[in-house]
Amino acid sequence: MRTYVVSGAASGIGAATAALLGRDGDRVITVDLHDADVTADLGTPEGRAAAVAGVRELTDVVHGLVPAAGIAGRTGVPGDLLVSVNYFGAVALVRGLHAELAAAQGAGVVLLASNSITGMPGWNAPVAQACLRDDEARAREEAAQVDSVMVYPSSKAALAWWARREGVKPEWAGSGIRLNSVAPGATETPMVDQMRADPLLGPAVDAYPNAIGRLGRPEEVAATIAFLLSDGASNIVGAVLYVDGGTDAMLHPISPPGWEVGPIEA
C-alpha cells in the first residue's frame, strides 16, 4: 500500500486526485482548510508548519505528493494572498516532507501549474522572480501592486520552473524524488465557477479556445497526475504537461510568442 498526500483535497482537482489515488486501496492523507485529515492554512508560515507536522504525525513515508491547494486570480482577491498560497504554500509542503518522500525510495511530486503561463501574455515577472529567490516578502510586495488575475500565472510559472530547476538536483532526483507539474486549462471546478461569477473576468472563461469543444474535467487532470506519480513515469523529471484540450497548442502551434514578461533571473 502506498501513501499519498494531497493538499486542496476538499474540492476541485485536489478532490478528484485524492479520490482516484485512493480507489485501489492506497492511503491518501488530505490537507485543506476544512474537511481534511490535516487542517491548515498554507497561506501562512505557521499554517505550513502545522500542515507538515500534521502529515508527519500520520506517516513517516510519502510515496506521492500533490500540492493542489490554490486560489484563483479574480476581482477582490488580494495578489499577495494568492502568491503566498499558490507558490509558497506548495513549495513549503514539498520541502517540509522531503525526508518522508526520500524514505519511499522512489516518490513523485506533481505541482499544479496552469496553461495561463503561456495563455496570458504580460503577467508579472517580478513576482515570479521573487518566488524563485524564496523571497516571500518581496513577492507579496510586488503582487500587492498588480491585479491578482496577472499574479496567478506568475505564481504558476514559478512553480513549474521551480520543479524544473530543483528536480534535477541530487537532493531531489538524486534522492529518488521526481518533481513534475501539470498545466491544466479551464477545468470545471468551484474555482472556475467563481471565475464565471466575476463581473469583469467571467465572460473570458468559456471564451477560451480549445480543440475538444468543452472545458476540462477534474478527473482528467487527476488521471494525468496519477500517471506522473506512477512507476510508468519513472523517467520523467522536470516536465510540464499541459492538460488543456489543446489550448496551448492552438495559441502557439510553433513556439509561444508574446509572453512579454521580461527575463527571469533566479
Side-chain angles (χ1 to χ4, degrees):
M1 184 179 72
R2 295 190 174 198
T3 298
Y4 298 100
V5 176
V6 181
S7 74
S11 66
I13 292 171
T17 301
L20 179 59
L21 293 175
R23 188 171 298 166
D24 295 326
D26 288 326
R27 183 186 187 192
V28 181
I29 298 172
T30 58
V31 181
D32 214 312
L33 289 168
H34 54 78
D35 300 325
D37 299 314
V38 177
T39 56
D41 181 1
L42 295 175
T44 68
E46 297 79 13
R48 297 163 200 159
V52 171
V55 172
R56 284 178 171 169
E57 289 180 2
L58 298 174
T59 186
D60 56 4
V61 60
V62 175
H63 297 88
L65 170 59
V66 185
I71 55 179
R74 56 189 176 87
T75 304
V77 172
D80 51 356
L81 173 63
L82 185 149
V83 78
S84 283
V85 174
N86 288 10
Y87 180 82
F88 290 97
V91 170
L93 200 57
V94 179
R95 285 175 168 158
L97 294 174
H98 181 279
E100 288 72 22
L101 289 161
Q105 297 183 346
V109 175
V110 181
L111 295 158
L112 269 290
S114 165
N115 76 345
S116 64
I117 296 170
T118 54
M120 292 177 59
W123 48 259
N124 187 272
V127 169
Q129 184 165 276
C131 287
L132 290 166
R133 290 177 174 174
D134 290 328
D135 190 342
E136 185 171 3
R138 181 60 181 273
R140 286 179 60 89
E141 180 183 344
E142 293 284 353
Q145 302 175 46
V146 183
D147 288 342
S148 62
V149 67
M150 301 308 287
V151 175
Y152 182 82
S154 302
S155 69
K156 296 300 186 176
L159 280 178
W161 291 338
W162 183 82
R164 289 180 63 79
R165 183 187 71 185
E166 300 299 312
V168 296
K169 293 182 178 179
E171 58 265 39
W172 296 105
S175 297
I177 306 168
R178 296 180 300 103
L179 304 183
N180 291 292
S181 61
V182 292
T187 306
E188 293 288 3
T189 64
M191 179 184 290
V192 165
D193 289 339
Q194 292 171 347
M195 290 294 293
R196 281 196 179 104
D198 190 295
L200 297 177
L201 306 172
V205 173
D206 292 298
Y208 233 58
N210 64 65
I212 61 174
R214 62 168 174 82
L215 270 61
R217 302 183 182 112
E219 59 269 24
E220 293 171 325
V221 183
T224 307
I225 291 170
F227 166 69
L228 288 173
L229 293 176
S230 73
D231 292 339
S234 58
N235 195 36
I236 302 177
V237 175
V240 184
L241 183 52
Y242 282 75
V243 191
D244 67 351
T247 298
D248 181 68
M250 292 174 71
L251 293 175
H252 314 298
I254 303 299
S255 62
W259 289 18
E260 300 172 0
V261 298
I264 304 294
E265 298 178 3

